[in-house]
Amino acid sequence: MDLSDAVIVNSSRLKSVVWNDFDRVKKGDTCVAVCRHCKKRLSGSSTSGTSHLRNHLIRCQRRSNHGIAQYITVREKKKEGILAHANFNMDQEQRKDEMLNLVNVKFEQDLMKDETVNTGNNNFDQRRSRRDLARMIILHGYPLAMAEHFWFRVFVKNLQPLFEFVTLDIVEADCRDIYAEERQKVSEVLDKLPGKISLSADLWATYANAECLCLTAHYIDESWQLKKKILNFVMVDYSHTEDMLSEVIMSCLMDWDIDRKLFSMTFDSSSTNDNIVFRIRDRLSQNRFLYCNGQFFDVRCAANVINLMVQDALEALCEVTHKIRESIQFFKSTEAMQAKFNEVAQEVGVQSKRPLCLDNSSQWNSTYVMLEVALEYREAFSLLQENDSVYTMCPSDIEWERVTLVTSYLKLFVEVANDFTRCKPSTANIYFPDLCNIHLDLIEWCKNSDACISSLASKMRSKFEEYWDRCGSGLAVAAMLDPRYKMKLVEYYYPLIYGSSASERIDDVFHCVKELYNEHSICSPLASIDQGLAWQVGGGARCLPASRDRLMGFDKFLHDTSQSEGTKSDLDKYLEEPLFPRSNDFNLLNWWKVHTPRYPILSMMARNVLATPMSKLASEFAFSTERRMLDRDWSSLNPETVQALMCSQDWIRSQIES
């Protein structure tokens, strides 16, 4: 059609936002819509509507950012009402600059291929897009307010002009809806678990002058996969007493209905946590929910006790570490000084290929590396002090010797911490040998003739033995459930640690194993009702609830007498059979999955014990000297939203990983 004498209709009378990108041209009785970008002509009749114009804008490859601001600020009438776009809260000058820059943005249109994007009005789902936005914010930890950010809206409008923008409040509501849906899924998983659940507890710091209690569930599922999920992320005030914190935890347990399914809880080592654990264990033991009267309930984080000993070591070296740190800064202060130090290092024959480095005070393994490298340049430090009167920070010979010893201790701790985080899955059996080696080394360190070193070793040993007295039995039982070692690992280490009293200690461990096995093997409130008495009566009977079962004593009597009459238990068969060959690719959980039919009771016990989180630090925080900190943006949100975001983030991540 020749439009040379056509008239452009006044666009102010056209209400739809699409007319920001089209000219409506009228020639005679015919109306044509001309795309301002590619000049394509489409029907502009009032009876044709605007859907075909919207679809063209989606496909138009020549469309630039011109006019995007109108999409953000205009109000478009919809059938369900009027969408009011959010205020951008910029000051006036900044807003003018943004708008000016926006108008000047041009895409390199010549690089775009002239292809059609196969997207139409029928393929766009506003609700799904809103949920995708909420999931993106949850998963990546973005601030909720990003939905109102100016350039984010520009970006989205370029991708999908049909998307109706949402406010922070709507995004928050969408996130909480996702949390409610995901929580229901997690609740169903926990309800159907074949075994018990172990919990770990962490306190996070926030920017809101409060703390957050993070409770994480650890369990082995029906496929023998070790899983963990954050159940609660509750904001607590610094003024909360031990009674209040224990009540918060109990409330969370009952809210999830897992108080009767608990096997253990892992905390950091502190007197406050001692009292919290005592109160919770007392409550659960009164209802007979715990195995062996709660003997295996109280677990302390192995990585935490290592960190405590490391802090003792670094404190003992505080002065000499300061000297080394200042020395390195002096050597690196100028290029000339650096060159001089390199010459001295060459002169004394330093063979190290590693350069001197400063540590990061928030990562103690970096301090270990700094000291280890400095030891390699020890002679260069000393010679430079002799030749340069300005440099006076060189450690003395005694200080260097102490650095040498303490660095060897730190090396062991680094290696053990790496072992804890390297093993996947981190089942409870992996910790026993490493911690036994630490125990043996501490005994030797205490014999050092240097009073400073022996005093440090005694201080560290005291912390370790407090941990060992509490958790040693649990560690040994977990090691026994590894078919490559069984009781042999305990029988190897205990004589080295305990000497003449080792036999008695080994008997204590075996007594714990038998007691725990027996409580798994009889039907009681301590065992899952679903497990029943099938192993005893051929699968026909089910356990009665605790309040109605009057024959619990008889069950134990039947079990004990059947053992004495010569019937071999799972435990007897397991311990009598030869050790499984050691190999690097051995998968313990897969072994138990395969051998569950042979050891039905012992596998039930293994499922519960091996899921115990003996260490609760993620690999990225294994060497951290600081507490975990909640994001600044999320710290400003209300507590219910924070919990929804943190829990949902963990659940969505686990779905992606699996």
Side-chain angles (χ1 to χ4, degrees), residues 293-346:
N293 294 319
Q295 181 179 352
F296 298 95
F297 178 74
D298 184 8
V299 179
R300 297 307 160 98
C301 176
N304 174 250
V305 76
I306 289 176
N307 284 343
L308 292 176
M309 291 189 292
V310 166
Q311 297 313 308
D312 288 340
L314 294 179
E315 184 181 345
L317 284 184
C318 181
E319 292 184 10
V320 66
T321 302
H322 174 72
K323 287 183 179 181
I324 291 173
R325 196 178 287 123
E326 290 292 312
S327 296
I328 295 172
Q329 288 177 335
F330 175 75
F331 300 152
K332 292 177 175 288
S333 59
T334 64
E335 289 186 10
M337 190 65 244
Q338 179 73 65
K340 184 176 182 180
F341 179 78
N342 291 340
E343 289 176 8
V344 171
Q346 257 188 335

Side-chain angles (χ1 to χ4, degrees), residues 614-633:
M614 295 297 182
S615 177
K616 58 190 177 64
L617 289 182
S619 56
E620 59 269 29
F621 299 103
F623 303 104
S624 178
T625 60
E626 299 177 348
R627 294 170 61 186
R628 297 188 70 171
M629 178 73 72
L630 182 64
D631 174 81
R632 184 181 296 274
D633 290 305

